[in-house]
Amino acid sequence: MNKPLLILIAGPYRSGTDGDAAAIARNLERLEAAAAPLHRLGHVPMIGEWVALPTLRGLDAGEAAAGDVMYETAARLLQHCDAVLRLPGDSTGADEDVRIAHERGLPVWFSLEEVPAA
């Protein structure tokens, strides 16, 4: 492989947190911990929350309540991503990312060791 891939990092974000802000922040840190290793492999890491959170801040309450911006953003991102790295942990959203990736014929890896270098 010689082309850098845009790889969606999928894993727990809100799952298992009961809405606790500190637990959610720890989950985001776990997702972000995979970004530098993917970069070192020559790829472009992407996390749906990097896009969804600023989007949510820009929506009014009615718009935000009209749908699940987090899931919608990930589904839209997967139209542009080349692969998914699924991190461990229960997550309905990450499982949906994997389902969409499989539907699109994209590779899904479950550890950084599986990801080939660009």
Side-chain angles (χ1 to χ4, degrees), residues 1-13:
M1 175 179 304
N2 60 5
K3 175 186 175 237
L5 301 176
L6 180 61
I7 300 175
L8 182 70
I9 303 168
Y13 176 68

Side-chain angles (χ1 to χ4, degrees), residues 1 3 5-8 74-86 96-110 114:
M1 175 179 304
K3 175 186 175 237
L5 301 176
L6 180 61
I7 300 175
L8 182 70
R76 292 177 190 184
L77 275 172
L78 280 166
Q79 298 302 310
H80 303 280
C81 290
D82 302 303
V84 171
L85 173 62
R86 173 59 162 99
E96 179 66 5
D97 296 341
V98 169
R99 186 195 67 73
I100 292 169
H102 283 144
E103 187 177 89
R104 292 196 55 229
L106 302 178
V108 176
W109 299 297
F110 293 90
E114 296 176 21

